[in-house]
Amino acid sequence: KAGVTQTPRYLIKTRGQQVTLSCSPISGHRSVSWYQQTPGQGLQFLFEYFSETQRNKGNFPGRFSGRQFSNSRSEMNVSTLELGDSALYLCASSQGQGGVKEKLFFGSGTQLSVL
Amino acid sequence: LAKTTQPISMDSYEGQEVNITCSHNNIATNDYITWYQQFPSQGPRFIIQGYKTKVTNEVASLFIPADRKSSTLSLPRVSLSDTAVYYCLVASYNNNDMRFGAGTRLTVKP
């Protein structure tokens, strides 16, 4: 079974631009969650989707948004990029409906650099 | 919200048992504790999860005392390939939050 696939692997943008990242979950997984990883802040939860609905959201500004499609694939969007948005963005999928007991399967991430 | 605190780094030698402790003083009743392992250029990988007492699987054990204010990941007989960063996660969906620790960089030496 293929793992979680994130595209693109690397991305370079300039301040003020917007970016869309894509995540394909493991086949059969219906929950997708997103995380930001930086050397300074570590791993931080962005949001989680199940059945095309956002179920949980972390403490990030409204510039960060996401969505999930009927095939469980997910995208996240960051508008008006700032230098501080440079990070590794990780997507994870899980089998169930999400929640504290879910075992997360992570992709390798998209490394975003904002210049 | 449960703030998670873990040591920044640890060193060990092949064949030794390694214990990494995570502190989560404000853990809530419905929160679960999960540990992940991360290698460079990869996403984290699930190791073990628990709620209370002791949980064991084929790769690790997780010890959680009765007050649940800390948890200890135990890796038996580590090898060089266990060199990685280990994250403690306290997941609290009542508060719409998943709080990762800063990670412990484990270096296993020959």
Coordinates of all heavy atoms in Angstrom, one line a residue, chain B residues 26-95:
Chain B
N26 N -0.3 19.4 32.8 CA -1.7 19.8 32.8 C -2.5 18.9 31.9 O -3.5 19.3 31.3 CB -1.8 21.2 32.3 CG -1.1 22.2 33.2 OD1 -1.2 22.1 34.4 ND2 -0.5 23.2 32.6
I27 N -2.1 17.6 31.8 CA -2.8 16.7 30.9 C -4.3 16.6 31.4 O -4.6 16.5 32.6 CB -2.1 15.3 30.9 CG1 -2.7 14.5 29.8 CG2 -2.2 14.7 32.3 CD1 -1.9 13.2 29.5
A28 N -5.2 16.5 30.4 CA -6.6 16.4 30.8 C -7.1 15.0 30.7 O -6.4 14.1 30.2 CB -7.4 17.3 29.8
T29 N -8.3 14.8 31.3 CA -8.8 13.4 31.5 C -8.9 12.7 30.1 O -8.6 11.5 30.1 CB -10.2 13.5 32.1 OG1 -10.1 14.2 33.3 CG2 -10.8 12.1 32.3
N30 N -9.3 13.3 29.1 CA -9.5 12.6 27.8 C -8.2 12.6 26.9 O -8.3 12.1 25.8 CB -10.6 13.3 27.0 CG -11.9 13.1 27.7 OD1 -12.2 12.1 28.4 ND2 -12.8 14.1 27.6
D31 N -7.1 13.1 27.4 CA -5.9 13.2 26.5 C -5.2 11.9 26.4 O -5.1 11.1 27.4 CB -5.0 14.2 27.1 CG -5.5 15.6 27.0 OD1 -6.6 15.8 26.4 OD2 -4.8 16.5 27.6
Y32 N -4.7 11.5 25.3 CA -3.9 10.4 25.1 C -2.5 10.8 24.8 O -2.2 11.9 24.4 CB -4.4 9.5 23.9 CG -5.5 8.6 24.3 CD1 -6.8 9.0 24.6 CD2 -5.2 7.2 24.4 CE1 -7.8 8.1 24.9 CE2 -6.2 6.3 24.8 CZ -7.5 6.8 25.0 OH -8.4 5.9 25.4
I33 N -1.5 9.9 25.1 CA -0.1 10.1 24.9 C 0.4 9.2 23.8 O 0.2 8.0 23.9 CB 0.6 9.9 26.2 CG1 0.1 10.8 27.3 CG2 2.1 10.1 26.0 CD1 0.3 10.2 28.7
T34 N 1.1 9.8 22.8 CA 1.6 9.1 21.7 C 3.1 9.5 21.5 O 3.4 10.7 21.6 CB 0.8 9.3 20.4 OG1 -0.6 9.2 20.7 CG2 1.2 8.3 19.3
W35 N 3.9 8.6 21.1 CA 5.3 8.8 20.8 C 5.5 8.5 19.3 O 5.1 7.5 18.8 CB 6.2 8.0 21.7 CG 6.3 8.5 23.0 CD1 5.4 8.3 24.1 CD2 7.4 9.3 23.6 NE1 5.9 8.9 25.2 CE2 7.1 9.5 25.0 CE3 8.6 9.8 23.1 CZ2 7.9 10.3 25.8 CZ3 9.4 10.6 23.9 CH2 9.0 10.8 25.3
Y36 N 6.3 9.4 18.7 CA 6.7 9.3 17.3 C 8.2 9.4 17.2 O 8.9 10.1 18.0 CB 6.0 10.4 16.4 CG 4.5 10.2 16.2 CD1 3.6 10.7 17.2 CD2 4.1 9.5 15.1 CE1 2.3 10.5 17.0 CE2 2.7 9.3 14.9 CZ 1.8 9.8 15.9 OH 0.5 9.6 15.7
Q37 N 8.7 8.8 16.1 CA 10.1 8.8 15.8 C 10.3 9.5 14.4 O 9.5 9.2 13.5 CB 10.6 7.3 15.7 CG 12.1 7.2 15.2 CD 12.3 5.7 14.9 OE1 11.7 5.1 14.1 NE2 13.3 5.1 15.5
Q38 N 11.3 10.3 14.3 CA 11.5 11.0 13.1 C 13.0 11.0 12.6 O 13.9 11.3 13.4 CB 11.1 12.5 13.1 CG 11.1 13.2 11.8 CD 10.5 14.6 11.8 OE1 10.6 15.2 12.9 NE2 10.0 15.1 10.7
F39 N 13.2 10.5 11.4 CA 14.5 10.5 10.8 C 14.6 11.7 9.9 O 13.6 12.3 9.4 CB 14.7 9.2 10.0 CG 14.7 8.0 10.8 CD1 13.7 7.1 10.7 CD2 15.8 7.7 11.7 CE1 13.6 5.9 11.4 CE2 15.7 6.5 12.4 CZ 14.7 5.6 12.3
P40 N 15.8 12.2 9.6 CA 16.0 13.3 8.7 C 15.3 13.1 7.4 O 15.3 12.0 6.8 CB 17.6 13.4 8.5 CG 18.1 12.8 9.8 CD 17.1 11.7 10.1
S41 N 14.7 14.2 6.9 CA 14.0 14.2 5.6 C 12.8 13.2 5.5 O 12.4 12.8 4.4 CB 15.0 13.8 4.4 OG 16.1 14.7 4.4
Q42 N 12.3 12.8 6.6 CA 11.1 12.0 6.7 C 10.1 12.6 7.6 O 10.4 13.3 8.5 CB 11.5 10.6 7.1 CG 12.4 9.8 6.1 CD 12.6 8.4 6.6 OE1 11.8 7.8 7.3 NE2 13.7 7.8 6.2
G43 N 8.9 12.2 7.5 CA 7.8 12.5 8.4 C 7.9 11.6 9.7 O 8.6 10.5 9.6
P44 N 7.4 12.0 10.8 CA 7.4 11.2 12.0 C 6.7 9.9 11.7 O 5.8 9.7 10.9 CB 6.6 12.0 13.0 CG 6.7 13.5 12.5 CD 6.7 13.3 11.0
R45 N 7.1 8.9 12.5 CA 6.6 7.5 12.4 C 6.1 7.1 13.8 O 6.8 7.2 14.8 CB 7.6 6.5 11.9 CG 7.1 5.1 11.7 CD 8.2 4.3 11.0 NE 9.3 4.0 12.0 CZ 10.3 3.2 11.7 NH1 10.4 2.6 10.6 NH2 11.2 3.0 12.6
F46 N 4.9 6.5 13.8 CA 4.2 6.1 15.1 C 5.1 5.0 15.8 O 5.6 4.1 15.1 CB 2.9 5.6 14.8 CG 2.1 5.0 16.0 CD1 1.3 5.7 16.8 CD2 2.3 3.6 16.3 CE1 0.6 5.2 17.8 CE2 1.6 3.0 17.3 CZ 0.8 3.8 18.1
I47 N 5.3 5.2 17.1 CA 6.0 4.2 17.9 C 5.0 3.5 18.8 O 4.8 2.2 18.8 CB 7.1 4.8 18.8 CG1 8.1 5.5 17.9 CG2 7.8 3.7 19.6 CD1 9.2 6.2 18.7
I48 N 4.3 4.2 19.7 CA 3.5 3.6 20.7 C 2.5 4.7 21.2 O 2.8 5.9 21.2 CB 4.3 3.0 21.8 CG1 3.6 2.0 22.7 CG2 5.0 4.1 22.7 CD1 4.5 1.2 23.6
Q49 N 1.4 4.2 21.8 CA 0.4 5.1 22.4 C -0.2 4.5 23.6 O -0.3 3.3 23.7 CB -0.8 5.3 21.4 CG -1.8 6.3 21.9 CD -3.0 6.4 20.9 OE1 -3.8 5.5 20.8 NE2 -3.0 7.5 20.1
G50 N -0.5 5.4 24.6 CA -1.1 4.9 25.8 C -1.9 5.9 26.5 O -1.9 7.1 26.2
Y51 N -2.7 5.4 27.5 CA -3.6 6.3 28.3 C -3.1 6.3 29.8 O -3.0 7.4 30.4 CB -5.0 5.9 28.2 CG -5.9 6.8 29.0 CD1 -6.3 8.1 28.5 CD2 -6.4 6.4 30.2 CE1 -7.2 8.9 29.2 CE2 -7.3 7.2 31.0 CZ -7.6 8.5 30.5 OH -8.5 9.3 31.2
K52 N -2.9 5.1 30.3 CA -2.4 5.0 31.6 C -1.7 3.6 31.8 O -1.8 2.8 30.9 CB -3.5 5.1 32.7 CG -4.6 4.1 32.6 CD -5.6 4.3 33.6 CE -6.8 3.3 33.5 NZ -7.8 3.5 34.5
T53 N -1.0 3.5 32.9 CA -0.2 2.3 33.2 C 0.9 2.0 32.2 O 1.6 2.8 31.8 CB -1.1 1.1 33.5 OG1 -1.8 0.7 32.3 CG2 -2.1 1.4 34.6
K54 N 0.9 0.7 31.7 CA 2.0 0.3 30.8 C 1.5 -0.3 29.6 O 0.6 -1.0 29.6 CB 2.9 -0.7 31.6 CG 4.1 -1.2 30.7 CD 4.9 -2.3 31.4 CE 5.9 -2.9 30.5 NZ 6.7 -4.0 31.3
V55 N 2.1 0.1 28.5 CA 1.8 -0.4 27.2 C 3.1 -0.9 26.5 O 4.1 -0.3 26.6 CB 1.1 0.6 26.2 CG1 0.8 0.0 24.9 CG2 -0.1 1.2 26.9
T56 N 3.0 -2.1 25.9 CA 4.2 -2.7 25.3 C 3.9 -3.2 23.9 O 2.8 -3.8 23.7 CB 4.8 -3.8 26.1 OG1 5.2 -3.3 27.4 CG2 6.0 -4.4 25.4
N57 N 4.7 -2.9 22.9 CA 4.6 -3.5 21.6 C 5.9 -4.1 21.2 O 6.8 -4.2 22.0 CB 4.0 -2.5 20.6 CG 4.9 -1.3 20.3 OD1 6.1 -1.3 20.6 ND2 4.3 -0.2 19.8
E58 N 6.1 -4.4 19.9 CA 7.2 -5.1 19.4 C 8.5 -4.2 19.4 O 9.6 -4.7 19.3 CB 7.0 -5.7 18.1 CG 6.8 -4.6 17.0 CD 5.3 -4.2 16.9 OE1 4.5 -4.6 17.8 OE2 5.0 -3.5 15.9
V59 N 8.4 -2.9 19.6 CA 9.5 -2.0 19.5 C 9.8 -1.2 20.7 O 10.9 -0.8 20.9 CB 9.5 -1.1 18.3 CG1 9.4 -1.9 17.0 CG2 8.3 -0.1 18.4
A60 N 8.8 -1.0 21.6 CA 9.0 -0.1 22.7 C 8.0 -0.4 23.8 O 7.0 -1.2 23.6 CB 8.8 1.3 22.3
S61 N 8.2 0.2 25.0 CA 7.2 0.2 26.1 C 7.0 1.6 26.5 O 7.8 2.5 26.3 CB 7.8 -0.6 27.3 OG 7.9 -1.9 27.0
L62 N 5.8 1.9 27.0 CA 5.4 3.2 27.4 C 4.9 3.1 28.9 O 4.0 2.3 29.1 CB 4.3 3.8 26.5 CG 3.8 5.1 26.9 CD1 4.9 6.2 26.9 CD2 2.7 5.5 25.9
F63 N 5.5 3.8 29.8 CA 5.1 3.8 31.2 C 4.4 5.1 31.5 O 5.0 6.2 31.3 CB 6.3 3.6 32.0 CG 7.1 2.3 31.8 CD1 8.1 2.2 30.9 CD2 6.7 1.1 32.4 CE1 8.8 1.1 30.6 CE2 7.4 -0.1 32.2 CZ 8.4 -0.1 31.3
I64 N 3.2 5.0 32.1 CA 2.5 6.2 32.5 C 2.1 6.0 33.9 O 1.3 5.1 34.2 CB 1.3 6.4 31.6 CG1 1.7 6.5 30.1 CG2 0.5 7.7 31.9 CD1 0.5 6.4 29.1
P65 N 2.5 6.9 34.8 CA 2.1 6.8 36.2 C 0.7 7.1 36.4 O 0.0 7.7 35.5 CB 3.1 7.8 36.9 CG 3.4 8.8 35.9 CD 3.4 8.1 34.6
A66 N 0.2 6.9 37.6 CA -1.2 7.1 37.9 C -1.7 8.5 37.7 O -2.8 8.7 37.2 CB -1.5 6.6 39.3
D67 N -0.8 9.5 38.0 CA -1.3 10.9 37.9 C -1.2 11.4 36.5 O -1.6 12.5 36.1 CB -0.5 11.8 38.8 CG 1.0 11.8 38.5 OD1 1.4 11.3 37.5 OD2 1.8 12.4 39.3
R68 N -0.6 10.6 35.6 CA -0.4 10.8 34.2 C 0.3 12.2 33.8 O 0.2 12.7 32.7 CB -1.8 10.8 33.5 CG -2.6 9.6 33.8 CD -3.6 9.2 32.7 NE -4.4 10.4 32.2 CZ -4.5 10.7 30.9 NH1 -3.9 9.9 30.0 NH2 -5.2 11.7 30.5
K69 N 1.0 12.7 34.8 CA 1.7 14.0 34.5 C 3.0 13.8 33.8 O 3.7 14.8 33.5 CB 1.9 14.7 35.8 CG 0.6 15.2 36.4 CD 0.8 16.0 37.7 CE -0.5 16.6 38.2 NZ -0.3 17.4 39.4
S70 N 3.4 12.6 33.5 CA 4.6 12.3 32.7 C 4.4 10.9 32.1 O 3.5 10.2 32.4 CB 5.8 12.3 33.6 OG 5.8 11.2 34.5
S71 N 5.3 10.7 31.1 CA 5.3 9.4 30.5 C 6.7 9.1 30.1 O 7.5 10.0 29.8 CB 4.4 9.3 29.3 OG 4.7 10.3 28.3
T72 N 7.1 7.8 30.1 CA 8.4 7.4 29.7 C 8.4 6.4 28.6 O 7.8 5.3 28.7 CB 9.1 6.8 30.9 OG1 9.2 7.8 32.0 CG2 10.6 6.4 30.6
L73 N 9.1 6.7 27.5 CA 9.3 5.8 26.4 C 10.5 5.0 26.7 O 11.6 5.6 26.9 CB 9.4 6.6 25.1 CG 9.8 5.8 23.9 CD1 8.7 4.9 23.4 CD2 10.3 6.7 22.7
S74 N 10.4 3.7 26.6 CA 11.5 2.8 26.8 C 11.9 2.0 25.6 O 11.0 1.3 25.0 CB 11.2 1.9 28.0 OG 12.3 1.0 28.3
L75 N 13.1 2.2 25.1 CA 13.6 1.5 23.9 C 14.6 0.4 24.4 O 15.7 0.8 24.9 CB 14.2 2.4 22.9 CG 13.4 3.6 22.5 CD1 14.2 4.6 21.7 CD2 12.2 3.1 21.7
P76 N 14.3 -0.9 24.2 CA 15.2 -1.9 24.7 C 16.3 -2.2 23.7 O 16.1 -2.2 22.5 CB 14.3 -3.1 24.8 CG 13.2 -2.9 23.8 CD 13.0 -1.4 23.7
R77 N 17.5 -2.3 24.2 CA 18.6 -2.7 23.3 C 18.7 -1.9 22.0 O 18.5 -2.5 20.9 CB 18.5 -4.2 23.1 CG 18.6 -5.1 24.3 CD 18.5 -6.5 24.0 NE 17.2 -6.9 23.3 CZ 16.1 -7.0 24.0 NH1 16.0 -6.8 25.3 NH2 15.0 -7.3 23.3
V78 N 19.0 -0.6 22.1 CA 19.0 0.2 21.0 C 20.2 -0.1 20.0 O 21.2 -0.7 20.4 CB 19.1 1.7 21.3 CG1 17.8 2.1 22.1 CG2 20.4 2.0 22.2
S79 N 20.0 0.2 18.7 CA 21.0 0.0 17.7 C 21.3 1.3 17.1 O 20.6 2.3 17.3 CB 20.5 -1.0 16.7 OG 19.4 -0.6 16.0
L80 N 22.3 1.3 16.2 CA 22.6 2.6 15.5 C 21.5 3.2 14.8 O 21.3 4.4 14.6 CB 23.8 2.4 14.6 CG 25.1 1.9 15.2 CD1 26.2 1.6 14.2 CD2 25.6 3.0 16.2
S81 N 20.6 2.3 14.2 CA 19.5 2.7 13.4 C 18.4 3.4 14.3 O 17.4 3.9 13.7 CB 18.9 1.6 12.7 OG 18.4 0.6 13.6
D82 N 18.5 3.4 15.6 CA 17.5 4.1 16.4 C 17.9 5.5 16.6 O 17.2 6.3 17.3 CB 17.5 3.4 17.8 CG 16.8 2.0 17.7 OD1 15.8 1.9 17.0 OD2 17.3 1.1 18.3
T83 N 19.0 6.0 16.1 CA 19.4 7.4 16.1 C 18.4 8.2 15.4 O 18.2 8.0 14.2 CB 20.8 7.6 15.5 OG1 21.8 6.9 16.3 CG2 21.1 9.1 15.4
A84 N 17.7 9.1 16.1 CA 16.5 9.8 15.5 C 16.1 10.8 16.5 O 16.6 10.9 17.6 CB 15.4 8.8 15.1
V85 N 15.1 11.6 16.1 CA 14.4 12.5 17.1 C 13.1 11.8 17.5 O 12.3 11.3 16.7 CB 14.1 13.9 16.5 CG1 13.4 14.8 17.5 CG2 15.5 14.5 16.0
Y86 N 12.8 11.9 18.8 CA 11.6 11.2 19.4 C 10.7 12.3 19.9 O 11.1 13.1 20.7 CB 12.0 10.2 20.4 CG 12.7 9.0 19.8 CD1 14.1 9.1 19.5 CD2 12.1 7.9 19.5 CE1 14.8 8.0 19.0 CE2 12.7 6.8 18.9 CZ 14.1 6.9 18.7 OH 14.7 5.8 18.1
Y87 N 9.5 12.3 19.5 CA 8.5 13.3 19.9 C 7.4 12.7 20.8 O 6.8 11.6 20.5 CB 7.8 13.9 18.7 CG 8.7 14.8 17.9 CD1 9.4 14.3 16.8 CD2 8.9 16.1 18.2 CE1 10.2 15.1 16.0 CE2 9.8 17.0 17.5 CZ 10.4 16.4 16.4 OH 11.2 17.2 15.6
C88 N 7.1 13.4 21.8 CA 6.0 13.1 22.7 C 4.8 13.9 22.2 O 4.9 15.1 22.0 CB 6.3 13.4 24.1 SG 5.0 13.4 25.3
L89 N 3.6 13.3 22.1 CA 2.4 14.1 21.7 C 1.3 13.8 22.7 O 1.0 12.7 23.0 CB 2.0 13.6 20.3 CG 0.6 14.0 19.9 CD1 0.5 15.5 19.7 CD2 0.2 13.3 18.6
V90 N 0.8 14.9 23.1 CA -0.4 14.9 24.0 C -1.6 15.4 23.1 O -1.6 16.6 22.8 CB -0.3 15.7 25.3 CG1 -1.6 15.6 26.1 CG2 0.8 15.1 26.1
A91 N -2.5 14.6 22.8 CA -3.6 14.9 21.9 C -4.9 15.2 22.8 O -5.3 14.4 23.5 CB -3.9 13.8 20.9
S92 N -5.4 16.4 22.6 CA -6.5 16.9 23.4 C -7.6 17.4 22.4 O -7.5 18.6 22.1 CB -6.1 17.9 24.4 OG -7.3 18.4 25.1
Y93 N -8.5 16.6 22.0 CA -9.5 17.1 21.0 C -10.6 17.9 21.7 O -11.3 18.6 21.0 CB -10.0 15.9 20.2 CG -9.0 15.6 19.1 CD1 -7.9 15.0 19.3 CD2 -9.3 16.1 17.8 CE1 -7.0 14.7 18.3 CE2 -8.4 15.9 16.8 CZ -7.2 15.2 17.0 OH -6.3 15.0 16.0
N94 N -10.7 17.7 23.0 CA -11.7 18.6 23.7 C -11.3 20.0 23.6 O -12.1 20.9 23.5 CB -11.7 18.2 25.2 CG -12.5 16.9 25.4 OD1 -13.2 16.5 24.5 ND2 -12.4 16.4 26.6
N95 N -10.0 20.3 23.5 CA -9.5 21.7 23.4 C -9.0 22.0 22.0 O -8.4 23.0 21.7 CB -8.3 21.9 24.4 CG -8.8 21.8 25.8 OD1 -9.8 22.5 26.2 ND2 -8.1 21.0 26.6

